[in-house]
């Protein structure tokens, strides 16, 4: 022990005992290979950054998600919370250390079970599953649920991951041969995902898995306050620190400083003298040789603030004399604009005569519902790498639309489009939260200015603080029906909190307003919505796109109206369900493929069974959701086919964020041409090669990119029918583009076509006497299931998300600052998700657009909240008006203040 200390004389002649620098090596065994490190660090950093094992994913670095799971001495363990100094003599195993047989079995079992969506959680799940199988070769589903209960999957709802582990255990236990996958790739087949093997083994790359020679690390200096005036930014000390290459501030942005999807109201960095508008605002970017050096320098950037009182709610924002959040102005549609008030967007849907409708109503239900913001919690935090290439800049990132970033980066850097290239890495989930720019512009800027590759990543908490959330809304709603329960009219007022920046707050509010009428046949609606700026984190797109909120409100009242009429919630919906040829509340005539009533018929038996039971309570809700952007806006999908080396290269920039669009496009090409999957290669989105197919949003890519793929494939088929072989068509490219004209909002047409199609659905949520959810039944009209397994996975994942929204997930804020971490968000775990019974209803013309598919990505998560509100009301008679629902098995009643 004494050897660790030395006795030294100071300049004043005083003897001082000092701790001696002791040189120590940290030893660790990974996959049977011994390694040493001079520095102590987290095992995850060592595996990823030092020895290059990228199957260990960084989802949080807080011990909360399980994406970094490894096996240490036979126990599944999170690598991010293990220090090398505690691993002396221990044996670490990752997927790379599994036997070939184990790896092959796991790839087959997870692929065939449809366990993979975005894939970011999957290596962690595979590792946890393999560890369980080592200890218990014949696990039950419950054993598996427990084994993966500390691993979060935000995409799948866990069931198919459990199926994958069950199948792998059986194959390993019984030493079964791996069956040959004989896939035609035809529409309707459960074709395995094209990207599954790489995601399962963890070899496929997300943005953070890329590194380059001489790469630097950029780190944002974020605001300390949601609202404060920035008096000064002193970068002097930071610039002198070891490894620091540069510190950039607002003045270093060469192009247009304001970014944003529609309104360019979001400054890339806040300048001295300006006000911060939310906690996610960036004041400076530090660039250094290592991440540690960048982090240290961020702390050394000295910012002087004048702290100001933030505007924390839309009601405060709307009050007379409220602080004007964007009083400094911003660019909107190419013009500098100083908004007159905090009102960001106003939307209206008015048809018929609502007053007369209520006068004709025998029963009325009304109420005001309070709905919180929701965090997307995609498992992959945001990362981008900017790479200089001559006088051009390439950016590798995970995003929901590379062309959105392409155009915005051109403005931000002041570079023409031809000097930019955006290449998509795998996208570890998005759910709407990766539509806006986050790290891409900063990585591009740093690479442009330093002339070296620069990686910019958010930590999990930075991700939570920065990206736009699901909008918090307050919704007043009133509906009326006649004595037979036939709906007469609806009045609604929606107030939405779009936070500091507009993002997609306008269209989200518009969809909430256009869908609050529900999938029913009545014509009198009076809906108004207002979205206000506040100093809260921005709100934008989130799976459901406003419809989740409006369904959460109105479907509770539909159930109340059913009770007042004296009929069941099922019967009430069946009487009112929109049928082909009838007009929706927004005026659009329902097409022949409309199968709303069929979704109700599919759940009827289960509804009646549980309604008659004394031991269970069944809640019901229905919904409709548009496919495509619609409302008169351009909405093109694109997919080209190019023959290279005798294979069909499928080229589309439609982002695969977990929904499986690449496999869908492949199946459409196989169906159309008669080719098989092994004759096709999917090219990941890249502005250099793949055409702009718009953003992955609005459940649109299956329809729009899908029909574009079909059109290109028809041209290829014509050549193949002409006795040409693929080899004869080398380098020939077939262009596929599809757009669909819709009518704008406020169209004078009596029956405007707002969207190309609507999907319809009914879901049942069943709780037991203790209030625990024991089963979900989900019936979905999706037109046509291109890949039924993928569609089922969308339903299961969406239902799991809806369970969280209804029961456990909250996003409390204090002075505009989130009071949550990933581990406290309340995301449903494997042990909490009940069995989900899915019914896929295919009524569309199979020869129609995209073989009749309508898209299913968003509607799946819209019905859980009102259905569960209904189930708990049946249990205890309390009609709940806010989410997450209180006084349930999952969340106790808040004590009165
Ligand atoms: S990265 Fe280790 S638990 Fe999330
Ligand atoms: S597949 Fe599990 S988080 Fe996406």
């Amino acid at each position: 022990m004494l050897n660790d200390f030395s006795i030294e004389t100071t300049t004043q002649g005083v003897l001082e005992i000092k701790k001696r620098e002791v040189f120590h090596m940290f030893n660790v065994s990974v996959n049977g290979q011994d390694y040493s490190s001079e520095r102590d660090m987290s095992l995850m950093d060592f595996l990823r950054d030092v020895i290059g094992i990228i199957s260990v994913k960084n989802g949080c670095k807080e011990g909360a998600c399980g994406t970094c799971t490894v096996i240490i001495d036979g126990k599944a363990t999170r690598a991010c919370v293990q220090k090398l100094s505690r691993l002396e003599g221990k044996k670490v195993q990752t997927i790379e250390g599994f036997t070939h047989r184990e790896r092959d079995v796991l790839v087959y079992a997870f692929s065939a079970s449809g366990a993979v969506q975005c894939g970011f959680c999957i290596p962690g799940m595979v590792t946890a599953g393999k560890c369980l199988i080592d200890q218990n070769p014949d696990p039950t589903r419950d054993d598996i649920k427990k084994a993966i209960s500390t691993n979060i999957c935000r995409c799948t709802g866990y069931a198919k991951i459990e199926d994958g582990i069950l199948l792998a255990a059986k194959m390993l236990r019984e030493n079964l041969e791996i069956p040959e996958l004989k896939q035609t790739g035809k529409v309707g087949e459960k074709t395995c995902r094209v990207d599954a093997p790489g995601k399962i083994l963890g070899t496929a790359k997300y943005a953070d898995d890329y590194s380059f020679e001489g790469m630097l690390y950029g780190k944002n200096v974020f605001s300390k306050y949601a609202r404060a005036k920035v008096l000064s930014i002193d970068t002097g000390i930071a610039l002198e620190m070891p490894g620091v290459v540069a510190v950039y501030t607002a003045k270093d942005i060469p192009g247009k400083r304001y970014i944003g999807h529609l309104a360019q109201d979001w400054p890339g960095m806040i300048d001295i003298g300006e006000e911060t508008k939310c906690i996610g605002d960036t004041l400076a970017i530090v660039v250094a040789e290592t991440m540690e050096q960048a982090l240290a320098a961020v702390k050394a950037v000295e910012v002087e603030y004048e702290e100001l009182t933030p505007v924390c709610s839309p009601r405060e924002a709307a009050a007379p004399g409220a602080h004007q959040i964007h009083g400094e102005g911003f660019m909107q549609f190419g013009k500098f604009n100083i908004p007159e008030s905090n009102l960001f967007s106003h939307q209206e849907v008015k048809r018929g005569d609502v007053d007369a409708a209520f006068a004709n109503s025998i029963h009325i239900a009304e109420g005001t519902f309070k709905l919180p913001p929701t965090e997307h919690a995609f498992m992959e935090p945001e990362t981008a790498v900017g790479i200089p290439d001559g006088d051009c800049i390439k950016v590798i990132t995970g995003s929901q639309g590379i062309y959105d970033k392409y155009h915005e980066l051109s403005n931000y850097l002041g570079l023409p489009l031809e000097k930019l290239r955006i290449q998509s890495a795998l996208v570890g989930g998005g759910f709407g939260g990766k539509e806006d720019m986050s790290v891409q512009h900063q990585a591009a800027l740093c690479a442009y200015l330093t002339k070296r590759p620069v990686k910019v990543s958010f930590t999990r908490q930075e991700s939570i603080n920065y990206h736009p959330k699901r909008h918090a809304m307050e919704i007043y709603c009133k509906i009326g029906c006649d004595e037979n329960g036939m709906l007469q009219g609806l009045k609604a007022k929606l107030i939405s909190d779009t936070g500091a920046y507009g993002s997609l707050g306008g269209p989200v509010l518009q969809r909430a307003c256009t869908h609050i009428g529900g999938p029913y046949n009545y014509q009198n609606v009076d809906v108004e919505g207002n979205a206000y700026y506040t100093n809260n984190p921005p709100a934008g797109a989130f799976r459901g796109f406003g419809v989740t909120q409006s369904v959460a409100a109105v479907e509770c009242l539909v159930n109340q109206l059913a009770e007042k009429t004296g009929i069941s919630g099922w019967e009430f919906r069946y009487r009112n369900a929109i049928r082909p040829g009838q007009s929706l509340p927004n005026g659009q005539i329902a097409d022949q493929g409309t199968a709303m009533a069929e979704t109700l018929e599919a759940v009827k038996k289960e509804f009646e069974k549980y309604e008659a039971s004394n031991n269970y309570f069944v809640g019901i809700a229905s919904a409709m959701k548009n496919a495509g952007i619609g409302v008169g806006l351009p909405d093109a999908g694109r997919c080209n086919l190019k023959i290279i080396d005798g294979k069909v290269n499928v080229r589309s920039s439609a982002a695969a964020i977990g929904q499986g669009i690449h496999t869908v496009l492949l199946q459409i090409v196989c169906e159309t041409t008669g080719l098989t999957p092994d004759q096709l290669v999917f090219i990941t989105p890249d502005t250099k090669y793949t055409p702009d197919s718009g953003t992955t949003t609005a459940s649109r890519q299956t329809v729009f990119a899908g029909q574009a793929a079909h059109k290109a494939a028809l041209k290829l088929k014509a050549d193949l029918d002409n006795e040409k072989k693929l080899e004869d068509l080398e380098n020939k490219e077939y262009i596929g583009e599809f757009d669909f004209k819709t009518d704008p909002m406020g169209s004078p047409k009596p029956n405007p076509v707002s969207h190309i199609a609507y999907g319809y659905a009914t879901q049942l949520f069943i709780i037991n006497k203790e209030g625990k959810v024991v089963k979900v039944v989900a019936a979905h009209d999706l037109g046509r299931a291109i890949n039924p397994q993928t569609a089922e996975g969308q339903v299961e994942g969406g239902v799991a998300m809806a369970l969280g929204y209804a029961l456990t997930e909250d996003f409390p804020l204090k002075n505009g600052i989130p009071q949550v971490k990933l581990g406290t968000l309340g995301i449903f775990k494997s042990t909490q998700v009940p069995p989900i019974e899915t019914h896929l209803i295919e009524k569309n013309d199979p020869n129609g657009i995209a073989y009749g598919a309508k898209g299913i990505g968003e509607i799946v998560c819209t019905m859980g909240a009102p259905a569960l509100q209904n189930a708990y009301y049946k249990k205890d008679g309390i009609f709940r008006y806010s989410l997450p629902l209180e006084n349930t098995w999952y969340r106790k009643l808040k004590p009165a203040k």
Side-chain angles (χ1 to χ4, degrees):
M1 188 70 183
L2 265 180
N3 286 342
D4 287 356
F5 294 88
S6 64
I7 300 174
E8 291 174 16
T9 311
T10 66
T11 44
Q12 285 83 30
V14 179
L15 290 180
E16 203 175 61
I17 299 176
K18 278 196 168 172
K19 193 160 191 315
R20 206 199 297 267
E21 283 290 312
V22 181
F23 190 69
H24 193 96
M25 293 299 279
F26 301 95
N27 303 313
V28 62
S29 161
V30 180
N31 299 328
Q33 172 87 37
D34 292 332
Y35 295 92
S36 293
S37 167
E38 287 178 12
R39 270 193 315 123
D40 195 12
M41 63 177 83
S42 84
L43 174 62
M44 182 175 75
D45 287 348
F46 181 74
L47 294 173
R48 286 184 61 78
D49 303 338
V50 180
I51 61 173
I53 292 184
I54 60 164
S55 68
V56 177
K57 303 293 181 198
N58 177 4
C60 70
K61 222 174 179 181
E62 296 172 356
C65 73
T67 58
C68 63
T69 302
V70 297
I71 301 172
I72 302 181
D73 286 352
K75 205 163 165 251
T77 309
R78 293 147 199 238
C80 68
V81 290
Q82 294 295 319
K83 286 276 191 184
L84 289 187
S85 51
R86 303 190 58 185
L87 294 173
E88 185 82 43
K90 301 203 184 228
K91 294 199 177 339
V92 177
Q93 196 185 25
T94 68
I95 292 176
E96 290 76 2
F98 298 175
T99 65
H100 284 302
R101 161 82 180 154
E102 286 166 342
R103 287 157 59 93
D104 291 348
V105 164
L106 286 160
V107 165
Y108 174 80
F110 270 63
S111 298
S113 303
V116 181
Q117 291 193 25
C118 86
F120 201 78
C121 73
I122 294 298
M125 295 288 188
V126 164
T127 306
K130 147 79 164 73
C131 187
L132 171 69
I133 296 168
D134 285 347
Q135 293 155 2
N136 174 6
D138 193 5
T140 63
R141 187 174 288 273
D142 277 349
D143 294 333
I144 294 169
K145 279 182 180 290
K146 273 189 213 119
I148 60 169
S149 63
T150 50
N151 292 48
I152 300 173
C153 176
R154 193 58 158 164
C155 300
T156 64
Y158 304 101
K160 294 197 174 350
I161 291 174
E162 293 155 19
D163 292 344
I165 297 172
L166 275 170
L167 179 56
K170 181 178 164 65
M171 291 176 72
L172 290 170
R173 189 174 65 241
E174 297 177 9
N175 202 20
L176 300 180
E177 252 184 55
I178 295 171
E180 196 190 333
L181 277 177
K182 288 192 188 126
Q183 303 196 111
T184 64
K186 292 276 168 62
V187 165
E189 182 185 74
K190 294 180 175 180
T191 306
C192 292
R193 288 194 182 219
V194 288
D195 52 5
K199 286 179 170 177
I200 293 163
L201 295 175
T203 50
K205 285 182 171 178
Y206 299 84
D208 193 34
D209 298 329
Y210 285 85
S211 52
F212 296 90
E213 190 67 31
M215 188 173 82
L216 301 168
Y217 295 82
K219 200 71 212 157
N220 303 50
V221 177
F222 286 107
S223 173
K224 221 164 129 186
Y225 306 101
R227 183 180 165 220
K229 187 163 182 174
V230 179
L231 303 176
S232 66
I233 302 172
D234 187 345
T235 61
I237 296 174
L239 277 166
E240 295 302 312
M241 290 180 68
V244 173
V245 173
V247 183
Y248 298 121
T249 59
K251 295 192 174 43
D252 295 303
I253 299 166
K256 293 184 179 132
R257 185 159 59 102
Y258 286 84
I259 57 171
H261 250 316
L262 301 175
Q264 282 81 58
D265 58 0
W266 199 334
M269 285 189 248
I270 302 281
D271 207 353
I272 295 165
E274 293 177 348
E275 274 188 18
T276 64
K277 293 166 189 68
C278 67
I279 192 68
D281 276 340
T282 295
L283 309 180
I285 308 266
V286 168
V287 190
E289 299 286 347
T290 68
M291 180 54 91
E292 288 71 30
Q293 290 167 335
L295 286 169
V298 162
K299 290 189 190 139
V301 173
E302 291 179 303
V303 181
E304 222 185 320
Y305 300 92
E306 179 191 346
E307 192 183 349
L308 298 164
T309 307
V311 177
C312 292
S313 73
R315 289 201 178 272
E316 278 179 41
H323 163 67
Q324 295 307 300
I325 290 160
H326 285 281
E328 292 157 355
F330 54 81
M331 297 297 288
Q332 190 162 24
F333 310 120
K335 284 196 188 126
F336 192 75
N337 168 46
I338 299 182
E340 282 171 16
S341 74
N342 288 323
L343 180 65
F344 169 67
S345 177
H346 174 79
Q347 302 289 339
E348 289 183 1
V349 180
K350 293 186 196 274
R351 281 177 64 79
D353 183 343
V354 170
D355 292 335
F358 288 137
N360 291 335
S361 295
I362 302 294
H363 306 293
I364 297 282
E366 67 183 317
T368 300
F369 297 82
K370 293 204 168 132
L371 310 166
T374 316
E375 159 61 23
H376 302 76
F378 35 74
M379 282 295 98
E380 178 212 13
E382 298 88 336
T383 292
V385 188
I387 307 145
D389 180 9
D391 58 351
C392 301
I393 294 290
K394 178 167 105 169
V395 175
I396 299 175
T397 191
S399 154
Q400 289 182 230
I402 56 167
Y403 277 87
D404 298 333
K405 309 292 176 289
Y406 188 49
H407 292 284
E408 286 195 71
L409 281 181
S410 163
N411 287 331
Y412 194 66
L413 296 186
L415 284 178
L417 288 172
E418 57 271 22
K419 301 254 180 226
L420 286 167
R421 177 178 168 194
I422 317 290
Q423 188 186 323
S424 185
L426 289 184
V427 188
F431 314 113
K434 287 181 182 164
E435 290 196 32
D436 299 88
M437 286 243 273
S438 52
V439 284
Q440 296 81 10
H441 51 318
Q442 314 297 22
L445 174 77
C446 295
Y448 180 64
L449 296 175
T450 61
K451 306 201 182 324
R452 285 173 64 179
V454 182
K455 182 186 280 186
V456 179
S457 304
F458 281 168
T459 64
R460 175 53 67 174
Q461 197 59 41
E462 287 164 355
S463 170
I464 288 173
N465 290 351
Y466 182 92
H467 67 248
K469 310 287 163 245
R470 175 182 280 142
H471 287 78
M473 286 192 195
E474 186 179 306
I475 300 181
Y476 163 78
C477 195
K478 175 179 174 180
I479 49 175
C481 67
D482 68 13
E483 69 279 13
N484 296 316
M486 299 311 294
L487 280 163
Q488 300 297 305
L490 163 135
K491 193 175 177 70
K493 283 198 184 308
L494 298 85
I495 303 174
S496 170
D497 180 354
T498 206
Y501 302 111
S503 179
L504 287 149
V508 166
L509 179 66
Q510 196 180 74
R511 288 294 79 67
C513 291
T514 54
H515 283 64
I516 196 163
Y520 306 116
N521 173 32
Y522 64 102
Q523 305 304 315
N524 304 300
V525 295
D526 178 355
V527 184
E528 280 185 20
N530 289 323
Y532 292 93
Y533 283 122
T534 65
N535 288 118
N536 291 329
F542 193 130
R543 198 176 198 178
F545 210 81
V547 180
T548 313
Q549 294 94 315
S550 54
V551 171
V554 76
E555 285 291 298
C556 294
L557 296 181
V558 167
N559 284 319
Q560 193 176 64
L561 217 45
E563 188 187 17
K564 288 187 178 190
T565 311
I567 58 177
S568 76
W570 187 92
E571 179 62 33
F572 189 94
R573 287 176 173 83
Y574 199 64
R575 289 184 192 180
N576 286 286
I578 188 81
R579 290 169 168 84
Q582 295 176 337
S583 318
L584 284 159
N586 67 8
Q588 181 157 340
I589 304 280
D591 62 31
Q592 290 307 308
T594 300
M596 174 60 211
E598 287 84 343
T599 69
L600 283 156
E601 286 159 6
V603 304
K604 185 171 190 245
K605 225 165 109 198
E606 288 292 282
F607 180 83
E608 287 173 349
K609 179 175 116 189
Y610 286 106
E611 190 79 328
S613 160
N614 291 325
N615 297 319
Y616 298 99
F617 305 94
V618 53
I620 183 169
S622 296
M624 58 183 253
K625 178 73 184 69
N626 59 294
I629 291 165
V631 295
L633 297 169
D635 200 4
R638 293 186 183 89
C639 179
N640 299 344
L641 305 176
K642 184 163 184 177
I643 318 303
I644 298 174
D645 296 335
K647 296 226 175 202
V648 181
N649 282 232
V650 183
R651 296 174 161 190
S652 174
S653 66
I657 59 173
Q659 84 286 39
I661 184 65
H662 294 171
T663 311
V664 163
L665 296 182
L666 178 138
Q667 288 187 252
I668 286 177
V669 175
C670 287
E671 174 75 33
T672 310
T673 57
L675 296 169
T676 48
D678 55 310
Q679 294 174 290
L680 273 57
V681 178
F682 199 92
I683 307 300
T684 50
D686 184 331
T687 53
K688 189 167 175 184
Y689 299 110
T690 61
D692 184 359
S693 193
T695 316
T696 290
T697 188
S699 306
R700 63 182 290 280
Q701 292 293 13
T702 294
V703 180
F704 286 82
Q707 181 63 5
H710 176 59
K711 288 174 86 171
L714 282 174
K715 295 177 197 171
L716 168 59
K717 184 173 182 333
D719 275 351
L720 294 172
D721 286 348
N722 218 6
E723 299 195 351
K724 291 258 175 15
K725 294 203 176 68
L726 285 180
E727 300 82 70
D728 307 327
L729 302 168
E730 190 67 15
N731 277 326
K732 185 159 181 188
E733 187 161 23
Y734 302 87
I735 307 295
E737 179 173 334
F738 174 68
D739 201 347
F740 183 85
K741 292 274 166 287
T742 50
D743 296 312
M745 288 292 289
S747 161
K749 290 185 185 170
N751 297 105
V753 177
S754 294
H755 291 97
I756 187 170
Y758 292 99
Y760 299 88
T762 300
Q763 292 183 352
L764 308 179
F765 283 67
I766 297 126
I767 60 171
N768 64 13
K769 278 183 166 171
E770 288 78 49
K772 203 172 163 191
V773 187
V774 293
K775 185 173 181 180
V776 177
V777 183
H780 284 264
D781 160 23
L782 77 172
R784 183 102 189 269
I786 303 290
N787 184 323
Q789 192 173 53
T790 298
E792 214 174 78
Q794 289 291 299
V795 175
E796 290 166 2
V799 165
M801 211 173 237
L803 284 161
Y805 185 55
L807 299 170
T808 51
E809 288 184 42
D810 203 357
F811 197 78
L813 295 156
K814 192 171 172 195
N815 293 328
I817 301 173
Q819 304 295 298
V820 279
K821 293 170 102 51
L822 182 69
T824 62
L825 278 172
I827 295 167
F828 255 56
K829 303 276 173 66
S830 54
T831 43
Q832 294 175 295
V833 177
I836 299 163
E837 180 183 308
T838 301
H839 300 257
L840 300 178
I841 293 154
E842 301 176 274
K843 189 181 173 186
N844 249 358
D845 176 2
N847 298 314
I849 292 166
Y851 289 106
K854 296 185 191 180
I856 194 174
E858 295 180 282
I859 192 170
V860 288
C861 68
T862 59
M863 288 154 281
L868 281 160
Q869 191 267 8
N870 184 222
Y872 285 105
Y873 172 73
K874 287 179 181 173
K875 177 178 174 292
D876 60 19
I878 301 170
F879 197 88
R880 293 159 174 84
Y881 289 94
S882 63
L883 297 180
L885 300 170
E886 281 176 0
N887 200 13
T888 66
W889 194 84
Y890 302 88
R891 196 176 159 97
K892 298 300 160 212
L893 195 60
K894 254 194 208 159
K897 286 200 179 140

